[in-house]
Amino acid sequence: MRHECLSGLLRSRMPGYSLPAALYAGAEAFEADLDAIFLRSWLNVAVVADVPEPGDVYAVDIGRSPVVIVRDDEGGIRAFHNVCSHRGARLVPEGRSIVGKLVCPYHQWTYELTGDLIDAPHMGLDFDKALHDLQPVNVREIGGLIYVCLSNDPPEDIEALAALMGQRLAPYNLAHTKVAAEQEIVEHGNWKLTVENNRECYHCASNHPELALSFHASDFGFDPAALAPEEKREAEALATLYAERTAAWEACGLPSEAVESDVLMPTNYRTQRLIIAGAGESQTPNARAAVKVPLGPMVANGAGDVHLWGINAWAHFMGDHAVVFNLFPLGPDRTLVRTKWLVHEDAEEGVDYDVANLTAVWTETNRQDADLVALAHQGVRSAGYRPGPYSRFTERTLNDWTTWYVARMMASGYA
């Protein structure tokens, strides 16, 4: 696909409609996505619990670019391209490890956790090691979430997200959490279909019976004319309850109002404190707390669910645990979704929580979502596909997301 063709596809997207098929399924569009979105945006790729102690490292692959996140000897968080400065060998495998130094397995070039090259055997006395340190990657820790940006000119609007979420996440004390469980699932669909599926709950009632016990599908919109009288009364009661709860939470120092970024800004996000349905405590099979040790005293009881959407991530923060989801594109038709359940570092498995209970709702929901994304991808590859209209009631956020995507692609030179 020539650049002009990609530009034409982006320009052809009609407001209120999904994207042309080639922008979901095409290999050229995928390469452009890696360049325009994943190499230039702030991405949430880890949590502080991935690197709790000095010497902890956590490696992730962003497209074809491996990145290593390091907790240095002074306790700071750093990020580097996970590539030796010698001949480009990968330094550490994906996932977590503990090191004293970063040592390339190929020729044993050795780096401090600051990225400084300290040993390069057989390179001669005149070899200037200072010219061959690891290449740093921009990194920000926001309320316990670790963001990186591979660009040398990272978007400055990360400061708005940092100010917003630093305050909202502070009561959850994520610096004192641990990863209680982690799961990976490869969805057989384009990463944008994974995002779209996550950003609406139009599909929740008919596809997510486990999640529906603790989640109000109407939180993300409904058509009033489609409601039966009883459903309408329930919707009105929920709206009243939201007004009351939000005011009460805010009065207690828990920011709760919905906030979302402008669709034309580089760093895309939305957050709101949601009411948990049913017993109202947590996203578990009975909507009761799964963990006896709360994440923090301010959110121990009745603090709802702070949800956060980002470019490649979404999360739920509840009083007893948090769930953080990160997506990583593997190809035009494959997307890795990595899910982490965070609990207080003092909570003891088998005593304070049961992993099966903790993970039950989202394990099932992830599996169901993967099936839906696969169905959607099969559809966009069909000769019968044509961009379809988003519901203005239940899919307004998809229109915003797709508008943002097109704007970022065009701002990155694909106009």
Side-chain angles (χ1 to χ4, degrees):
M1 185 188 300
R2 298 192 310 275
H3 180 92
E4 309 86 71
C5 295
L6 190 59
S7 172
L9 288 169
L10 291 166
R11 292 180 180 280
S12 72
R13 187 255 167 174
M14 296 181 290
Y17 281 71
S18 58
L19 293 167
L23 291 179
Y24 290 117
E28 293 81 3
F30 178 74
E31 295 298 326
D33 287 355
L34 292 183
D35 170 49
I37 306 297
F38 289 91
L39 292 183
R40 307 190 195 200
S41 304
W42 283 103
L43 306 171
N44 171 220
V45 299
V47 294
V48 290
D50 288 317
V51 286
E53 302 290 339
D56 287 338
V57 300
Y58 183 68
V60 297
D61 290 349
I62 303 174
R64 298 185 189 89
S65 299
V67 172
V68 59
I69 296 163
V70 176
R71 179 79 72 172
D72 66 24
D73 292 333
E74 281 68 49
I77 294 175
R78 299 172 184 262
F80 304 99
H81 289 277
N82 189 7
V83 174
C84 183
S85 296
H86 179 208
R87 284 166 51 192
R90 183 185 186 119
L91 289 172
V92 296
E94 197 169 15
R96 300 181 190 84
S97 52
I98 301 173
V99 303
K101 312 289 183 188
L102 291 165
V103 181
C104 179
Y106 200 172
H107 301 97
Q108 283 69 59
W109 280 33
T110 301
Y111 304 86
E112 290 284 7
L113 300 183
T114 58
D116 295 345
L117 177 64
I118 58 172
D119 191 22
H122 305 291
M123 293 300 291
L125 295 176
D126 59 343
F127 180 68
D128 188 350
K129 292 193 287 292
L131 298 177
H132 302 280
D133 295 337
L134 292 179
Q135 293 187 64
V137 169
N138 297 289
V139 61
R140 289 293 302 267
E141 185 256 310
I142 299 175
L145 304 177
I146 297 176
Y147 290 78
V148 300
C149 179
L150 295 172
S151 170
N152 292 325
D153 184 23
E156 295 179 356
D157 64 352
I158 190 67
E159 300 303 333
L161 178 64
L164 175 69
M165 295 312 299
Q167 182 184 20
R168 291 200 173 204
L169 296 183
Y172 295 90
N173 205 18
L174 296 188
H176 293 284
T177 59
K178 63 181 180 182
V179 179
E182 180 171 337
Q183 293 179 357
E184 292 185 351
I185 188 167
V186 175
E187 297 188 347
H188 294 277
N190 184 263
W191 72 275
K192 296 187 290 292
L193 294 173
T194 297
V195 172
E196 290 190 18
N197 180 68
N198 175 255
R199 292 200 174 199
E200 50 92 355
C201 218
Y202 191 4
H203 69 278
C204 289
S206 56
N207 289 281
H208 297 319
E210 296 84 6
L211 181 64
L213 296 175
S214 58
F215 200 83
H216 293 289
S218 60
D219 283 350
F220 295 100
F222 56 88
D223 178 0
L227 299 183
E230 180 59 27
E231 292 174 321
K232 191 171 184 179
R233 284 191 288 274
E234 291 175 358
E236 291 170 348
L238 182 60
T240 300
L241 187 60
Y242 257 103
E244 295 171 353
R245 290 275 181 91
T246 299
W249 284 327
E250 297 263 356
C252 293
L254 296 173
S256 303
E257 293 281 3
V259 179
E260 53 192 79
S261 57
D262 187 287
V263 295
L264 299 181
M265 297 297 290
T267 302
N268 182 272
Y269 58 84
R270 183 188 192 279
T271 184
Q272 182 183 6
R273 190 179 303 275
L274 304 174
I275 293 173
I276 299 173
E281 296 178 359
S282 191
Q283 289 171 344
T284 60
N286 62 2
R288 297 287 185 185
V291 187
K292 294 178 182 176
V293 183
L295 294 181
M298 284 185 68
V299 295
N301 296 298
D305 160 28
V306 172
H307 95 96
L308 173 64
W309 289 337
I311 294 169
N312 73 316
W314 58 97
H316 295 274
F317 305 92
M318 295 156 283
D320 66 322
H321 76 280
V323 195
V324 179
F325 309 79
N326 304 120
L327 75 78
F328 298 90
L330 302 178
D333 57 356
R334 291 190 308 137
T335 302
L336 171 66
V337 176
R338 182 174 291 139
T339 305
K340 296 170 187 168
W341 286 262
L342 306 179
V343 302
H344 194 281
E345 61 187 1
D346 294 336
E348 185 178 347
E349 183 181 350
V351 176
D352 298 309
Y353 65 94
D354 174 75
V355 169
N357 182 51
L358 176 72
T359 61
V361 168
W362 279 106
T363 295
E364 284 303 306
T365 304
N366 282 349
R367 181 184 59 75
Q368 295 151 359
D369 279 336
D371 290 342
L372 296 172
V373 169
L375 289 175
H377 195 89
Q378 290 169 22
V380 299
R381 294 184 60 189
S382 165
Y385 172 81
R386 59 182 180 179
Y390 296 131
S391 164
R392 70 179 189 275
F393 298 106
T394 63
E395 297 175 308
R396 189 269 302 169
T397 53
L398 296 197
N399 185 49
D400 289 348
W401 156 259
T402 306
T403 301
W404 172 86
Y405 167 76
V406 171
R408 295 320 306 159
M409 296 297 287
M410 297 183 79
S412 300
Y414 293 93

